[in-house]
Amino acid sequence: MGTYTSNRDSERQGSWPPTGSSHPADAQSRVDFVSSDRFDDTPDLALGYAPLATSGVRPNKDQKLDDDAKAIRRGRMGGGFRLMLFSSFATLLLIFMLPLALGLPGKVDPWSIRSIANGDVNVTFLDGNGDLLAHRGYRQEETVPLSEMPPYLVQAVLAMEDRRFYRHWGVDILGVLRAAQANFAAGGIVEGGSTITQQLARNLYLDGSRTFTRKAQEAALAFWLEQQLTKDEILELYLNRIYLGAGAYGVEAASKVYFSKSVRELTVSEAALIAGLPKAPAQLSPAKDLPRAQDRAALVLEKLEETGWMTAAEIEAARAAPAIVELEERSPDIRASYFVDWVYSRMPLFVDGPPRELVVETTFDPELQRMGEEALAATFDGLRSNAKVDQGALVALDHNGAVKAMVGGRDYLESQFNRATQAIRQPGSAFKPLVYMAALQNGYTPYSGIVDRPVRINGWKPLNANRRYSGWMQMRNAIAYSVNTIAVRVGHKVGLDKVADYARASGITTPLPAHPSLALGAMGTRLYELTGSYVPLANGGYEAPAYGITRISNVEGDVLYERARNIIGAMPPPYRENNSGQEQVDEDAVMTPILNKVATTRDVQTMTKMLKRVISIGTGRRASLGAREAAGKTGTTNDNRDALFVGYTADLVAGVWMGNDNNSEMDRVYGGTLPATTWANFMTAAHEGKPKRKIYTPIWVAPHPSQYKEPEPVVEEVPMVEAPAVPNYAALRGKLNGLSSALAAAVPLEAPEPVRTRSRGMDRSVFRSRDD
C-alpha cells in the first residue's frame, strides 16, 4: 500500500493506496495514509468550516461583518450543538448495545447475497435472432476487485460519500455533526451523515424506510460489518453493489450501461460522473438527464481538488473533456426501449411468484426496427414548416401477430410515452375495413349498391370529407374513396353489435360505443391493436392478437412460459387406447383449430381485393409499392387531429400514426399523405430483396397422421362384357330435316328501333378533391 508525499508549497500528487487484498500485508502504510498531513493540510471539512487565516493579513470590513454574522449564528446554535453532542453519545451507546438487542442478520455472510436489488426482477431480453437486446430490472455484472478499479474512481467516491472512511468504525460521529450543522443552517435536509459502511448495511440487509428503528439497525449493522470485514473489503463490496441508476448495480454495470466498457477503462471525467450518482441515482442518471449528471460530475472534481488527491492539471484536463454518454450508439437497448417497455409490462400476465432472474425471448427484429425509425425520421426531416405535427408511431407485425418493430415516438430519451401501445386515439376511416368485413359476413358483396346521399340517424348527420355526394355506387368503390355516408349506412343496416363483435374478435380491446359514429372510427383504440386487427385479413381469417414474447425461462434454463406454435391448420383429437391397447378412434370428435377463425378465407380475400383498390385508385395512392401487391386503408379524424395508414403485404402488416400529443389540429395532414408515404418507405425497405408474392397463394397443410382413415378393403369384381348397342340415327335425321324446312318457310322478323337508356353509373368527378 503506497503513501502520499506532501509539499505545502507545491502541487500535491499521489496514488490511491488500496490493494484490494483481504488483509494488506503492510498495515503500517495504511496508518501512514490516514494519519498523514494530507488530511491535516486540507480544510477541516468534517466540522464544516475552514480555520481562519493567521498570516498577518488583516481582514477587511466586509470580512469582519461576515465573521460577526457567523459568530451570532454560532451563538444561536449553541443549544443545538449541545443537543447534537448528546445525540452523538447516545448513538455510540446504541452501536454497542443494539447488536445484542436486535441480533445479527439472517445472512451473516455479505458475499453470499447475490444482489442488493431486493424485491426486483432482473430480466435479460433477447431479440428474434437470439441476440442480446436489453436489460430491465436490475443489472449486475462481475465483481471487480478493488485493486483493478481506477484509483481516481475510488478517490472520487470517497470524496463524495465518506472522506473519513478509513478513520471511523462504521458510524462517523464527526460526519453526523457536520450533516446536522448543515441541515440546521439550511432549515432542511441538505446533507446526510451515513457512512459507506452504513449505506452497505442498509442495501444488504434493510429496506428503504426512514424510521428511527431502521436507522438504529443500520448503525448496529455497520459496526458489526466493521468487525467482520476489512476496510478494503467493505469498500469493494460497496462499489460492486451500490445502485447507480438505469437499473445498474455496481460500478462495472454502470460503466457498461453508460459507456459500453469495463470500469477498468474509465477516464477521470467518466469516473467522476459515476461517482456523483449514489446520492440520487434515479434523478442524476445520465440516461435521464445528461446535463444534470455532468454538473454533478463537475462537483465531484471540485471535491477531488479540495482533498488534494489529484493534481490541478489532472482536474483541469477532466473538466475540459466532460463525459459524454452516447446512449443511442452504445447498443440496441435504446432503439428497442419502446418495445422492451411494452413487453416488460406484460410479463406479469405469464409468470408470477417471487422475484428472480429471467431470460425473455422476444419477436423483435432489430433491422426492421432500424428501418421503421429511419422511415419516420425521414418524414419529419422533410416536413413542411406549417404542417403542425410533432409526433408519430409505427408498428410492424408478421402474419401470426408477432411484433417485429415498434416505434413509439420520435425520441425515446425525450419522451418514454409509447404512442403505439399507450396512446388511445381515434382510428378514423382506418376502422372501416372492420365495418365492411361485418357486412361481407352478413350477405353484402363488393358489388352491392348503396346510395351516397345525406343521412341522419337519431339527430346525428355525418358528412363526407369533401362535403359532396355521388349517388349510387358499389361498396368496393365506397371503401376505395372512403365515403363516410355509405359506411354509416352499411354499419346501421348490418348492426353495430355485429360490427363490434367482429372488431373484438379481430383484436380490438378498447370500448366500442353503440353509436352510429362507430362506423367512422369515432372511438379510441391503440395503434398496435388496430394494426393487429388487419392481420386476419392478411393470413386467411385466423385470429392473431399482437404479441412480443415467445418464451420466458429462468437462468437455470427452466421454461416458465412458452407461446404455442401458431400453425394454420387443425389439431387432431387426443390419442386414446382401449383396454386392448389399440387406438380408440372417436368418429364424432371435432378437430380443434390452433388459431380461431374470425372470418372465412373467402371474405378476407374479398376484402383484400377491395383494399388493394384503395392503393391503386383510392385515397392511399401514395402507399403504392409498385409491382409488389399491397392492400391498406387510410384514416383521418375530425379537424385532422389524427392521421393513419394501415396495410399489409404477403410478408408483413404495418400501421403508421401521426399527430400531436396535445391532440391539436394538424394542417392538411391526412392518412393518405404523410402516414401513407412513411408506410411505403418502410415497407419498401423491409421487402428489399424479397420475392414479389401475391398476398394469397394456395397453401396446403399436411394433415396429422391420425387424420388419415385406413381405407376399406377393395374386392375386385370382374365386370360382365356386354355387346355395345347400335345407335338409331334414322329418327334424329327425320326431325332435323323437318326443322330445316320450317325455318326456310318462315317470314323474317324486322329489327326493332334501338332504345336509348341512361346508364346507372357512378359520378367519379366527386372524388377529385377527396383525401380520405
Side-chain angles (χ1 to χ4, degrees), residues 294-377:
Q294 290 176 332
D295 291 342
R296 179 73 175 174
L299 177 61
V300 174
L301 294 176
E302 290 180 11
K303 296 292 185 181
L304 275 175
E305 190 173 20
E306 290 175 2
T307 62
W309 291 345
M310 294 189 67
T311 66
E314 292 172 328
I315 297 296
E316 283 302 317
R319 286 173 178 161
I324 301 297
V325 181
E326 297 290 349
L327 291 177
E328 293 185 354
E329 298 180 1
R330 62 174 175 84
S331 71
D333 194 328
I334 293 299
R335 287 189 178 275
S337 291
Y338 286 118
F339 172 81
V340 173
D341 287 350
W342 172 64
V343 168
Y344 187 73
S345 68
R346 296 177 64 84
M347 285 181 56
L349 300 175
F350 310 113
V351 294
D352 54 10
R356 69 198 86 177
E357 296 187 31
L358 303 175
V359 178
V360 178
E361 301 174 37
T362 71
T363 60
F364 189 79
D365 189 324
E367 277 301 302
L368 289 180
Q369 178 72 16
R370 178 187 60 80
M371 295 172 185
E373 292 182 352
E374 290 178 353
L376 196 63

Side-chain angles (χ1 to χ4, degrees), residues 68-210:
D68 292 341
K70 290 182 178 179
I72 293 173
R73 186 165 56 183
R74 291 195 193 98
R76 292 177 180 173
M77 296 174 62
F81 272 116
R82 286 193 294 271
L83 179 61
M84 287 185 285
L85 188 62
F86 175 78
S87 301
S88 302
F89 283 112
T91 303
L92 280 175
L93 181 63
L94 287 172
I95 290 174
F96 286 97
M97 298 299 296
L98 279 178
L100 299 177
L102 302 175
L104 295 177
K107 293 183 178 178
V108 295
D109 182 11
W111 298 95
S112 66
I113 301 177
R114 297 189 60 187
S115 173
I116 62 174
N118 297 322
D120 290 336
V121 178
N122 181 14
V123 185
T124 299
F125 292 93
L126 306 179
D127 62 22
N129 302 319
D131 298 326
L132 176 64
L133 182 61
H135 289 278
R136 284 296 184 272
Y138 70 86
R139 176 172 177 175
Q140 190 170 355
E141 300 288 341
E142 61 172 326
T143 298
V144 178
L146 192 67
S147 58
E148 297 182 13
M149 297 181 188
Y152 39 79
L153 171 64
V154 185
Q155 293 166 357
V157 172
L158 290 178
M160 292 298 294
E161 299 299 319
D162 192 357
R163 193 175 302 185
R164 292 171 46 83
F165 173 71
Y166 280 96
R167 302 176 69 181
H168 60 67
W169 291 351
V171 177
D172 186 5
I173 301 301
L174 294 179
V176 173
L177 292 174
R178 180 192 68 235
Q181 178 189 5
N183 295 335
F184 187 83
I189 305 298
V190 296
E191 187 174 342
S194 296
T195 65
I196 282 179
T197 311
Q198 287 176 275
Q199 294 180 49
L200 180 63
R202 178 174 66 247
N203 292 328
L204 284 176
Y205 302 112
L206 304 173
D207 56 26
S209 60
R210 295 178 176 271

Side-chain angles (χ1 to χ4, degrees), residues 692-754:
K692 295 180 176 62
R693 298 191 297 118
K694 293 184 177 297
I695 296 176
Y696 282 105
T697 55
I699 299 177
W700 180 79
V701 179
H704 190 273
S706 63
Q707 293 177 251
Y708 288 109
K709 292 185 177 180
E710 294 186 7
E712 297 292 336
V714 178
V715 179
E716 294 185 2
E717 297 181 358
V718 179
M720 296 180 62
V721 178
E722 298 179 358
V726 178
N728 184 10
Y729 296 111
L732 179 60
R733 187 179 297 109
K735 290 182 179 180
L736 291 177
N737 291 335
L739 180 61
S740 177
S741 301
L743 289 175
V747 178
L749 298 176
E750 295 183 359
E753 291 292 332

